[in-house]
Amino acid sequence: MDEAQSSQVEIRRLWPSDKESFRDHLLRLDPRSRHERFAGGMSDDFLAQYAENCFGKGDLIYGAFVEGKMIGAAELRSNKAIWSEQAPFGRNIHAEAAFSVEDSYRRRGIGEKLFKRIRRAATNHGVETIEIVCLPDNIGMQSLAKKFKTQFTFEESALTGRLTARRPTAFSLMREASGDAFDFGAALFDAHWRAVAEAREKSA
């Protein structure tokens, strides 16, 4: 049994301290995965710059980790959403989602775990509709989205899927807030040990 099959997957929210791990994950994407995620064969320089700009006010990102290594990510982006622990009910917010999983970790249910986490976050932050844009040949993304009753339409050489988020509950809001607090602590812990590892490498 290989690492992708045997190791437990941790899904958590990413913070600015995770920027380096997110960048490295994107850089490890093979040409096909880059094409599917960005609708083109993006260069390393593009991906590094993209990661640098992905932690703004309207960005919410979750990572999938195996033994401390980020092997997948889900992004939820909106210029109207509030990604803090409050409930802007009735704002009819729309957000766009995107997913990436490294090739050797595909077909392990990781994309589905990321999708569920994104949907929960959208529910708890007033997002009414989640949009997913993918190429017509990205069968994997279409199959994943359809598990969540996403309807796809053809628009300008790409497929756009729309998923209506559910209404939040007191329990889902509490779960989101406690999860974010835990994830923030985990991000700080990971950043600390990355710094320790880098210091050891330099002194070796």
Side-chain angles (χ1 to χ4, degrees):
M1 184 175 292
D2 61 25
E3 180 187 19
Q5 292 176 305
S6 61
S7 299
Q8 185 175 0
V9 178
E10 174 197 2
I11 306 294
R12 70 166 175 82
R13 182 174 174 176
L14 303 185
W15 305 88
S17 60
D18 294 304
K19 187 180 297 184
E20 182 178 332
S21 293
F22 180 59
R23 179 202 65 200
D24 292 346
H25 156 64
L26 294 179
L27 291 173
R28 284 192 297 270
L29 294 177
D30 63 281
R32 185 190 70 171
S33 298
R34 295 186 185 195
H35 175 74
E36 291 178 344
R37 168 61 187 85
F38 295 98
M42 301 306 177
S43 67
D44 287 356
D45 288 342
F46 172 88
L47 295 178
Q49 187 61 42
Y50 177 83
E52 186 68 25
N53 297 322
C54 271
F55 290 84
K57 182 179 179 181
D59 303 324
L60 184 64
I61 310 176
Y62 289 87
F65 293 81
V66 170
E67 297 183 354
K69 175 185 174 183
M70 190 184 304
I71 50 81
E75 304 166 52
L76 192 62
R77 188 161 287 108
S78 173
N79 57 13
K80 292 184 178 180
I82 300 174
W83 304 130
S84 57
E85 276 51 69
Q86 51 188 301
F89 303 133
R91 295 185 59 186
N92 300 321
I93 295 171
H94 297 258
E96 184 174 328
F99 301 83
S100 55
V101 177
E102 294 174 29
D103 185 64
S104 59
Y105 290 88
R106 290 189 173 191
R107 295 170 292 280
R108 312 295 185 198
I110 295 173
E112 188 170 348
K113 291 178 185 292
L114 288 166
F115 205 117
K116 287 179 179 178
R117 194 65 186 84
I118 282 291
R119 185 178 64 173
R120 192 177 90 194
T123 291
N124 291 329
H125 295 289
V127 174
E128 181 183 72
T129 304
I130 305 169
E131 295 189 358
I132 304 163
V133 179
C134 69
L135 297 174
D137 60 353
N138 191 347
I139 305 302
M141 184 67 252
Q142 294 171 47
S143 298
L144 172 61
K146 286 178 181 177
K147 291 182 180 180
F148 296 86
K149 298 182 179 179
T150 306
Q151 301 297 320
F152 280 92
T153 57
F154 189 77
E155 299 178 5
E156 298 182 1
S157 302
L159 291 173
T160 299
R162 291 184 173 85
L163 173 69
T164 300
R166 297 171 295 182
R167 298 290 294 176
T169 64
F171 175 76
S172 68
L173 289 169
M174 180 178 66
R175 186 181 180 189
E176 182 78 12
S178 61
D180 281 356
F182 179 84
D183 292 348
F184 183 68
L188 293 179
F189 180 83
D190 289 348
H192 168 74
W193 283 109
R194 282 199 303 271
V196 170
E198 289 174 2
R200 287 177 177 173
E201 289 180 1
K202 291 179 179 179
S203 62

